[in-house]
């Protein structure tokens, strides 16, 4: 089902004490005024997931991981498996974030394996994709996005998309203060929905949730969320302050 979702990606921010404080703040803020049915997710670092699961137990807040390894287990020093996440009570994982692609060399082929491992273990996936500034300048952004989605996701059966949330994140808008205009976001989201309609049918296209990410703030969230194909946001910087994150959630 197409859902309204606001997810906060905390990246490598907040130690345990700070994470607990932020969760406390978000819980207080979201108690009132959230439109019914909106899903709220936070993605702290691996080391703070266990505490986050415990602290959010009696709230609407869902906890996601920012990454995971594609293998079941084994000699992969420093890595975390899908089973470890599930066992902690974490049911969602973000995959394909542009920082993972850029700094850790994650390719579409690797992401296809990660998506399979996540879904196979019962995790829901927030799958990120988006073009670089040079792709947009050279007007290749649609082609780039199409390729990312085809290579990482289009091997899946139609039914898998019940457990996938898409997040369009133009790389030039992440952490830069520069936001895609609501029209640019809508244009890409509509394009992606059309791709899914062609590949998997209109029912899949009409039910998949597509989030926008890239410098969403309380000041611009409402306008972006008002676009018909934008189902919510993946929020970086503004998710680190309870009041800002709550204001964004309330803009949906
Ligand atoms: C992100 O990293 O997913 C993101 C959208 O970051 P920011 O909101 O800071 O641009």
């Amino acid at each position: 089902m197409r859902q309204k979702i606001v997810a906060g990606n905390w990246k490598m921010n907040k130690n345990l004490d700070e994470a607990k404080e932020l969760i406390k703040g978000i819980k207080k803020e979201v108690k009132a005024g959230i439109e019914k049915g909106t899903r709220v997710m936070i993605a702290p670092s691996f080391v703070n997931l266990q505490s986050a699961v415990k602290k959010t137990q009696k709230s609407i807040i869902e906890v996601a991981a920012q990454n995971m390894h594609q293998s079941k287990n084994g000699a992969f020093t420093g890595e975390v498996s899908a089973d470890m996440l599930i066992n902690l009570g974490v049911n969602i994982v973000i995959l394909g974030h542009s920082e993972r692609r850029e700094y850790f060399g994650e390719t579409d082929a690797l992401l296809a394996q990660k998506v399979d491992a996540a879904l196979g273990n019962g995790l829901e996936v927030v799958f990120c994709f988006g073009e670089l500034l040079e792709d947009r300048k050279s007007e290749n952004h649609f082609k780039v996005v199409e390729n990312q989605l085809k290579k990482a996701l289009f091997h899946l059966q139609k039914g898998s998309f019940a457990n996938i949330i898409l997040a369009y994140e133009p790389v030039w808008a992440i952490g830069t203060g520069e936001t895609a205009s609501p029209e640019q976001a809508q244009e890409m989201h509509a394009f992606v929905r059309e791709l899914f309609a062609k590949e998997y049918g209109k029912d899949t296209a009409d039910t998949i949730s597509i989030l926008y990410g890239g410098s969403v703030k309380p000041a611009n969230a409402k306008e972006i969320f008002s676009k018909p194909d934008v189902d919510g946001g993946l929020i970086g910087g503004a998710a680190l302050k309870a009041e800002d994150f709550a204001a964004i959630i309330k803009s949906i």
Side-chain angles (χ1 to χ4, degrees):
M1 196 186 60
R2 215 168 136 187
Q3 299 167 316
K4 290 183 175 175
I5 301 166
V6 180
N9 174 15
W10 293 6
K11 312 190 184 189
M12 197 175 72
N13 293 295
K14 306 290 176 190
N15 65 25
L16 179 59
D17 293 339
E18 292 164 345
K20 283 182 185 168
E21 231 3 76
L22 181 52
I23 289 171
K24 206 162 125 191
I26 297 170
K27 272 164 76 173
K28 206 169 103 199
E29 292 278 348
V30 300
K31 255 193 187 142
I34 288 203
E35 193 183 318
K36 240 180 144 196
T38 300
R39 289 180 72 186
V40 176
M41 301 173 186
I42 56 167
S45 73
F46 284 136
V47 293
N48 294 329
L49 286 175
Q50 188 169 17
S51 160
V53 168
K54 197 164 157 224
K55 296 281 172 200
T56 54
Q57 247 162 19
K58 290 195 187 91
S59 78
I60 62 151
I61 302 166
E62 300 175 78
V63 177
Q66 298 174 17
N67 179 35
M68 53 158 255
H69 196 269
Q70 65 277 15
S71 298
K72 196 170 176 334
N73 54 20
F76 299 103
T77 303
E79 292 291 332
V80 168
S81 71
D83 172 63
M84 290 172 186
L85 297 177
I86 290 281
N87 193 243
L88 274 189
V90 173
N91 299 311
I92 309 163
V93 63
I94 298 173
L95 293 176
H97 192 279
S98 65
E99 287 150 16
R100 298 293 318 169
R101 294 175 189 259
E102 183 180 354
Y103 305 132
F104 302 95
E106 295 197 2
T107 60
D108 294 319
L110 174 72
L111 290 169
Q113 291 179 36
K114 289 196 177 201
V115 168
D116 289 346
L119 296 176
N121 279 276
L123 283 156
E124 188 172 17
V125 173
V126 177
F127 185 81
C128 306
F129 59 93
E131 81 282 0
L132 302 171
L133 183 58
E134 65 220 49
D135 302 322
R136 186 156 279 265
K137 280 191 173 156
S138 59
E139 296 184 1
N140 276 325
H141 45 297
F142 293 117
K143 197 75 226 156
V144 167
V145 160
E146 183 172 349
N147 273 330
Q148 288 174 335
L149 294 172
K150 278 191 171 161
K151 289 182 182 161
L153 298 182
F154 281 14
H155 63 288
L156 296 170
Q157 299 292 316
K158 188 180 169 84
S160 298
F161 291 99
N163 293 312
I164 294 187
I165 296 159
L166 300 173
Y168 169 55
E169 298 207 306
V171 181
W172 49 273
I174 296 180
T176 58
E178 188 155 343
T179 323
S181 69
E183 291 70 32
Q184 285 171 320
Q186 168 58 27
E187 182 183 39
M188 184 59 86
H189 285 220
F191 171 76
V192 169
R193 226 178 269 290
E194 189 52 39
L195 270 184
F196 273 81
K198 276 193 211 134
E199 191 70 23
Y200 291 101
K202 196 170 164 354
D203 53 338
T204 302
D206 285 347
T207 48
I208 198 153
S209 303
I210 313 178
L211 314 184
Y212 168 79
S215 299
V216 177
K217 307 180 261 296
N220 60 22
K222 207 175 181 63
E223 212 190 335
I224 295 170
F225 294 163
S226 72
K227 293 295 173 192
D229 285 296
V230 178
D231 299 308
L234 180 56
I235 320 298
L240 299 174
K241 264 193 167 168
E243 313 80 69
D244 287 355
F245 189 53
I248 292 170
I249 297 164
K250 288 170 192 170
S251 304
I252 209 161

